[in-house]
Amino acid sequence: MRNNLFATLILAVGPAASYTIPRHTKNTGVIKRAEPTDGCLNDESRLCWDGTYNINTNYYSDGPRTGNVVEYNLSIQNITLAPDGRERQVLAINGQIPGPTIVANWGDTVRVTFTNEMQDNGTSIHWHGIRQLNNFINDGVNGVTECALAPQDSKTYEWVAEQYGTSWYHSHYSAQYGDGVLGAIVINGPATEEYDIDLGPITISDWFATQTAFQKAYASERSGPPVPDNFLVNGTNVNPSDTTQGERFKLSFTAGKKHRLRIINTSVDTFFRFSVDSHTMTVIQTDFNPIASYTTDVLGIAIGQRYDVIIEADQDSSANYWLRTWAQSTCGRNTNDGTGTANAFVTYGSSDDIPSTTPHEFTDSCDDEAASSLVPWVPITVDSSGFSANETELDVSAPFFVDEGAGNVFRWTIGGATPMSVDFGNPSILQLSNSETFSAELNSFTIESAAETAYWVIVNESPIAHPIHLHLHDFNIIAQGTGTFDASTTALNFDTPPRRDVAMLPASGYLFIAFKADNPGIGIMHCHIAWHASEGLSLQLVERASEIDFTVIDSTWQETCTNWNNWYDSSDNFYGEKTDSGLRRRHNARRI
């Protein structure tokens, strides 16, 4: 294992970040900031919560613990569905795509039991963006924190809802979530603006209508990224080639009311822009971080990112309006370009009439929302004293071909010469507990000291943008841009920078992030384009190994490994070497 972190980045370590809560009055001059009244409740003001905690609470160091346990029992099955009117075999959770929404309140304990009822696939379930403080073993990454879950086996995950807002859960096994193994997470809590109606999550997914995501991942390794046939909004759309097939997602507004929408990009390979014709959005949260609100007509959303917005129903209530999702051609393609009638729509009643509204203007790009707009409500000043401009850069490679015995396949590296590859039957945490020496394929980095601040400057050596996701942490975005990173000339923001768990690494550019090393365990950082993660664009972070509690590897945990290793037969495979969405694996994935 290498000490001090990361791929395509400058990596340094310094003192812990300091946390303060000054009182902002505005965010970029757009919307003035209100303040909660001491002791108020959420039904009095959205800025409040339970009389003790409110929107000003710094949930990294404080927050409710309700003692309430929210339980779900979910199963993954092979079934046939027609999300856009075209039938194909899918992998659904409790018979639906997306799976059931996990709903909890801030401070609740969430307990979810998953049963793998698939015929030919293992799985694991990752709780995207959940901090998992001192609970990394429930992060749900097969090959790292657990063995893959064999068919007919069950596993229970448990975690505390320390954060609030919107996220999603998904399979971390190959490109499996692209076939339907995903669902939304809603953690109720305070908000930075008032609203009347919470309309819940809106998942946006690219969709392959004629082949499975497994098949497309196999093709991607050999010929480059495939073009999706369509996109789904909350699991449904019409067929762009024949709009009599399928069903559009319809969202109902109440005239004169303010509606909260929780938008999640759950795609495998598409950066989307989102808007509702004739309406303006007030953005109140990015990933799990509430922000001082700003307004926009069109919102850019990278894979894995979430935005909570408020839309006031202040337009003609007799009309319907397109709810548009555009795949950005700057970094991807989709057969449905979002300009036609294969879209979702908004109605002020129950009308199914096709809208005739005009879209907002926007520039096609795969850029994140402007950093100046994403000002966290609870500010964090990141201590910069540990950052040095003389650190060594580690790179995210351009794609390259390698011959792994079944012909040339695309691979990527981040911070090393070897694409990341894990063993689903012998995960990293088990190897660490047995004091095994990590192989180069595990692409591991370490942080040892308690509560350090890690500084990672990720440098992109290719003209291909990447959505970078870090497990077990939020990170602060110190700098982000195209061109060459130079610490002596690049503008660095350590004073309340944007904070989230997914950010775009621009094409031929850089992403400088910082985070507190306050969560002992093993996590990963990876590109959230499923093909890229599958092809090796991942690394592991071993954090404060001396403080890891290995008693979490108990008999129940071990039984999952036993069941996996008893089930897996390396001589019976449909495809060649395949991968885990976020991790490459040595074993071959099986057909859907």
Side-chain angles (χ1 to χ4, degrees):
M1 292 182 287
R2 285 156 288 184
N3 194 17
N4 277 4
L5 280 78
F6 176 48
T8 298
L9 43 95
I10 297 172
L11 187 57
V13 176
S18 59
Y19 292 79
T20 57
I21 307 180
R23 294 289 184 260
H24 294 317
T25 57
K26 64 176 68 175
N27 175 31
T28 66
V30 178
I31 296 180
K32 292 183 178 180
R33 171 172 174 154
E35 290 292 342
T37 302
D38 288 343
C40 65
L41 302 175
N42 191 247
D43 58 3
E44 301 173 70
S45 169
R46 299 294 185 179
L47 284 76
C48 307
W49 188 236
D50 61 359
T52 301
Y53 302 102
N54 57 44
I55 194 65
N56 286 337
T57 301
N58 179 356
Y59 61 54
Y60 295 107
S61 58
D62 197 7
R65 295 295 182 270
T66 66
N68 182 50
V69 179
V70 179
E71 297 194 67
Y72 288 85
N73 289 286
L74 306 177
S75 62
I76 311 171
Q77 306 127 348
N78 299 68
I79 64 173
T80 298
L81 293 177
D84 68 351
R86 291 173 281 189
E87 284 192 349
R88 80 160 174 89
Q89 193 176 45
V90 303
L91 303 176
I93 301 175
N94 287 22
Q96 64 186 65
I97 296 177
T101 298
I102 303 295
V103 180
N105 289 329
W106 186 19
D108 285 351
T109 295
V110 178
R111 182 182 298 150
V112 186
T113 298
F114 259 93
T115 300
N116 179 1
E117 296 182 6
M118 294 180 288
Q119 299 167 13
D120 295 301
N121 277 278
T123 196
S124 71
I125 302 299
H126 171 56
W127 311 94
H128 185 105
I130 299 297
R131 188 182 181 195
Q132 305 286 11
L133 183 64
N134 299 312
N135 190 39
F136 75 97
I137 203 69
N138 280 285
D139 195 39
V141 184
N142 37 212
V144 177
T145 61
E146 63 189 73
C147 290
L149 188 67
Q152 310 312 312
D153 200 5
S154 296
K155 183 178 178 67
T156 298
Y157 297 90
E158 185 170 311
W159 43 269
V160 176
E162 297 180 47
Q163 306 134 292
Y164 54 85
T166 306
S167 196
W168 59 307
Y169 61 93
H170 62 84
S171 168
H172 228 291
Y173 181 101
S174 188
Q176 194 173 76
Y177 80 81
D179 287 318
V181 187
L182 62 92
I185 299 172
V186 172
I187 302 174
N188 296 309
T192 62
E193 293 291 337
E194 305 292 349
Y195 61 89
D196 301 302
I197 301 169
D198 189 337
L199 292 178
I202 297 177
T203 60
I204 306 171
S205 305
D206 44 22
W207 184 247
F208 299 96
T210 60
Q211 288 187 306
T212 70
F214 273 124
Q215 291 170 308
K216 293 298 186 180
Y218 181 81
S220 176
E221 288 187 305
R222 288 151 179 82
S223 57
V227 179
D229 301 304
N230 204 353
F231 58 79
L232 308 178
V233 180
N234 271 1
T236 189
N237 203 351
V238 293
N239 178 355
S241 301
D242 181 359
T243 56
T244 66
Q245 297 179 341
E247 183 177 356
R248 296 176 180 88
F249 174 69
K250 180 172 69 175
L251 191 66
S252 294
F253 281 0
T254 301
K257 299 297 184 180
K258 295 182 178 181
H259 304 79
R260 179 174 182 166
L261 281 63
R262 302 167 179 268
I263 310 159
I264 314 167
N265 186 340
T266 58
S267 298
V268 295
D269 189 18
T270 305
F271 186 112
F272 282 109
R273 294 201 175 272
F274 176 95
S275 71
V276 177
D277 288 357
S278 304
H279 293 74
T280 297
M281 295 177 284
T282 298
V283 185
I284 61 171
Q285 188 149 349
T286 174
D287 298 351
F288 270 132
N289 286 277
I291 61 173
S293 59
Y294 72 98
T295 59
T296 187
D297 295 329
V298 180
L299 193 60
I301 311 177
I303 302 167
Q305 288 182 340
R306 295 86 67 203
Y307 284 93
D308 288 38
V309 305
I310 296 170
I311 301 179
E312 185 172 3
D314 57 2
Q315 299 299 304
D316 180 0
S317 61
S318 66
N320 290 347
Y321 302 87
W322 287 119
L323 185 157
R324 299 185 187 267
T325 48
W326 290 283
Q328 298 301 279
S329 60
T330 303
C331 60
R333 295 173 292 166
N334 193 300
T335 301
N336 182 1
D337 63 8
T339 61
T341 64
N343 269 303
F345 67 96
V346 167
T347 178
Y348 277 55
S350 57
S351 170
D352 291 326
D353 292 346
I354 299 299
S356 58
T357 50
T358 302
H360 295 288
E361 294 184 357
F362 70 94
T363 299
D364 190 295
S365 81
C366 297
D367 296 335
D368 275 333
E369 293 291 286
S372 59
S373 295
L374 306 182
V375 180
W377 183 275
V378 176
I380 292 178
T381 299
V382 180
D383 193 306
S384 62
S385 61
F387 174 69
S388 168
N390 298 318
E391 295 296 327
T392 302
E393 291 187 1
L394 306 173
D395 302 328
V396 171
S397 72
F400 56 92
F401 270 123
V402 298
D403 187 346
E404 296 189 343
N408 285 336
V409 291
F410 280 117
R411 292 291 178 252
W412 302 76
T413 62
I414 181 167
T418 305
M420 184 170 165
S421 179
V422 299
D423 187 338
F424 283 179
N426 187 23
S428 301
I429 185 59
L430 185 60
Q431 295 183 44
L432 188 64
S433 71
N434 292 330
S435 301
E436 297 179 30
T437 300
F438 279 12
S439 69
E441 288 182 325
L442 294 183
N443 201 27
S444 64
F445 296 80
T446 66
I447 296 178
E448 291 295 347
S449 300
E452 293 174 339
T453 297
Y455 311 94
W456 292 1
V457 180
I458 312 167
V459 179
N460 193 348
E461 293 184 336
S462 82
I464 300 170
H466 301 279
I468 299 297
H469 174 47
L470 178 64
H471 290 217
L472 307 182
H473 294 279
D474 287 332
F475 52 74
N476 303 277
I477 301 174
I478 308 302
Q480 183 182 33
T482 57
T484 302
F485 176 83
D486 184 339
S488 64
T489 58
T490 300
L492 306 180
N493 178 20
F494 291 93
D495 182 15
T496 314
R499 191 164 63 245
R500 61 189 321 163
D501 56 69
V502 180
M504 288 301 293
L505 171 61
S508 303
Y510 55 86
L511 173 66
F512 180 2
I513 65 174
F515 61 94
K516 287 181 66 176
D518 59 0
N519 199 359
I522 302 182
I524 65 172
M525 185 172 77
H526 62 92
C527 174
H528 222 298
I529 296 172
W531 326 131
H532 295 179
S534 290
E535 293 159 8
L537 211 167
S538 306
L539 65 79
Q540 296 188 66
L541 170 59
V542 180
E543 188 171 336
R544 295 161 59 177
S546 63
E547 299 175 54
I548 293 176
D549 178 12
F550 291 110
T551 63
V552 295
I553 304 177
D554 57 17
S555 59
T556 301
W557 187 98
Q558 293 277 12
E559 186 177 5
T560 300
C561 290
T562 299
N563 293 341
W564 169 262
N565 289 317
N566 287 341
W567 172 80
Y568 181 75
D569 179 359
S570 62
S571 66
D572 178 22
N573 301 300
F574 184 69
Y575 293 123
E577 183 170 351
K578 289 289 287 180
T579 60
D580 166 357
S581 178
L583 306 172
R584 276 200 325 120
R585 55 169 244 174
R586 292 192 181 97
H587 299 316
N588 299 337
R590 300 189 173 204
R591 57 184 164 186
I592 191 169

